[in-house]
Amino acid sequence: QMAKLLSSFFIVQATTSSAAAFLPKFRRLTPLLFNKMSSSSSQIAAILESPSAERNKGPIYDMVLGSKVFPTLMENNDNDKIRVLELAAGCGVHSTYFASTALAEGMSIEWHPSDPDLEARLSIDARVERDNLADSIRPANGWVLGKAGGTACNDGHRDKGDAGANNSGVGGIEADYSQYHNYFDLVTCINMIHIAPWEATIGLMKCAGKTLRKGGMLLCYGPYKIGGTAVESNLNFDRSLKSRDSRWGVRNLEDVIEVAKKEGLTFDSYIEMPANNLSVLFRKD
């Protein structure tokens, strides 16, 4: 409709010699103009939202990444940049926020988002294009962790995006990270462990154990039980998760640490976060 209105305007104005001279040029420019508009509309349509990621992106960066993890990695880094693998990246809120904030602080970043959910990957790539971050954030890959996979898109009750629903992932592929052995400085996994089958946590630790360089770090964020218990809100959350999928649930931190240990990852520390979550840090031996 806009094209018709603009065309009509210039046709009416073609009674003047200047407008008449411009009309052929306008007709040549119109396809370019509307192809650009169409591409931009498709990009916007692909972007998914995550209220929980919007809430926690600031605290995770300020309390964990920016204040502890990145400074530690930069002190012991032979590369000219920080290489990050973001597993269960969800819709890309964290990918673009963490990378752009690090860049604004003068760091050089090579960010690799990964999610087995196809809609999530389309959203990640659309956000990267929108924010002009393609030089720092690679196209999202569809690695499925373990047999079941795991995606942060389950957060916020997006059940249809459950990459574990058919034990293969929605558009995901079997994880093949052989070319990235000992490559990454940091692996992150935010809000996945409790909303995916336990096999996904096993797959996460296998992946981190293989792909992290010596001295590299793993960050796992989310709710946990310690000693088999937690605050009442997290116990209620655990029951809610299990009612949606019996394979889900708030995990015992000790169990997660034990699985990590088997893959050469030593528990470093945890940081208490808002809303009764923990940021749990591991280091590769």
Side-chain angles (χ1 to χ4, degrees):
Q1 290 181 345
M2 185 179 294
K4 290 179 180 179
L5 288 171
L6 288 171
S7 297
S8 299
F9 171 80
F10 282 107
I11 289 171
V12 170
Q13 295 301 313
T15 54
T16 67
S17 57
S18 58
F22 177 75
L23 187 56
K25 295 180 182 179
F26 172 76
R27 285 172 176 162
R28 291 196 299 271
L29 288 171
T30 298
L32 298 176
L33 172 66
F34 286 95
N35 284 342
K36 178 78 172 177
M37 291 172 61
S38 176
S39 173
S40 186
S41 298
S42 298
Q43 180 191 102
I44 293 171
I47 292 177
L48 302 176
E49 301 296 337
S50 173
S52 63
E54 293 289 353
R55 288 193 300 270
N56 63 39
K57 66 182 184 182
I60 292 173
Y61 191 91
D62 295 340
M63 298 173 65
V64 186
L65 293 177
S67 59
K68 180 171 183 175
V69 173
F70 285 151
T72 299
L73 292 174
M74 291 174 70
E75 288 178 2
N76 305 290
N77 188 6
D78 296 330
N79 301 313
D80 59 351
K81 62 180 65 177
I82 301 292
R83 297 167 173 169
V84 183
L85 171 62
E86 181 189 9
L87 296 172
C91 64
V93 170
H94 291 139
S95 310
T96 52
Y97 180 79
F98 294 158
S100 62
T101 305
L103 289 168
E105 294 181 353
M107 282 179 267
S108 181
I109 291 285
E110 181 184 310
W111 200 278
H112 294 248
S114 174
D115 200 289
D117 187 276
L118 176 58
E119 288 186 31
R121 297 197 303 277
L122 292 174
S123 178
I124 294 168
D125 292 342
R127 286 177 178 273
V128 171
E129 183 181 353
R130 181 196 65 185
D131 295 346
N132 297 314
L133 290 169
D135 289 342
S136 299
I137 303 180
R138 301 294 184 265
N141 73 63
W143 292 348
V144 174
L145 299 175
K147 295 180 180 179
T151 171
C153 279
N154 288 325
D155 199 25
H157 301 279
R158 186 171 174 267
D159 297 315
K160 292 182 179 178
D162 176 17
N166 59 7
N167 292 326
S168 63
V170 180
I173 60 172
E174 183 179 353
D176 178 13
Y177 36 78
S178 56
Q179 62 178 312
Y180 293 110
H181 282 189
N182 306 307
Y183 183 82
F184 293 106
D185 301 290
L186 172 67
V187 174
T188 70
C189 186
I190 297 172
N191 276 340
M192 187 278 288
I193 289 178
H194 59 288
I195 48 178
W198 180 243
E199 290 82 4
T201 299
I202 295 172
L204 155 67
M205 297 305 177
K206 287 182 180 296
C207 179
K210 291 287 194 303
T211 61
L212 280 172
R213 65 167 173 83
K214 185 175 181 180
M217 300 183 74
L218 166 65
L219 162 63
C220 297
Y221 170 94
Y224 293 90
K225 297 176 185 175
I226 297 179
T229 190
V231 296
E232 187 62 29
S233 61
N234 280 350
L235 293 177
N236 290 336
F237 186 39
D238 181 46
R239 288 188 284 270
S240 173
L241 289 170
K242 289 175 178 175
S243 71
R244 291 168 59 195
D245 190 319
S246 60
R247 302 171 300 168
W248 298 1
V250 176
R251 309 299 182 185
N252 289 309
L253 181 57
E254 296 86 350
D255 294 339
V256 176
I257 291 173
E258 186 61 30
V259 173
K261 185 177 179 180
K262 292 178 181 178
E263 302 301 331
L265 302 169
T266 300
F267 170 68
D268 180 272
S269 59
Y270 68 75
I271 300 170
E272 294 184 355
M273 305 294 292
N276 298 314
N277 289 299
L278 299 179
S279 286
V280 185
L281 298 173
F282 300 87
R283 191 184 300 272
K284 183 173 178 179
D285 300 329

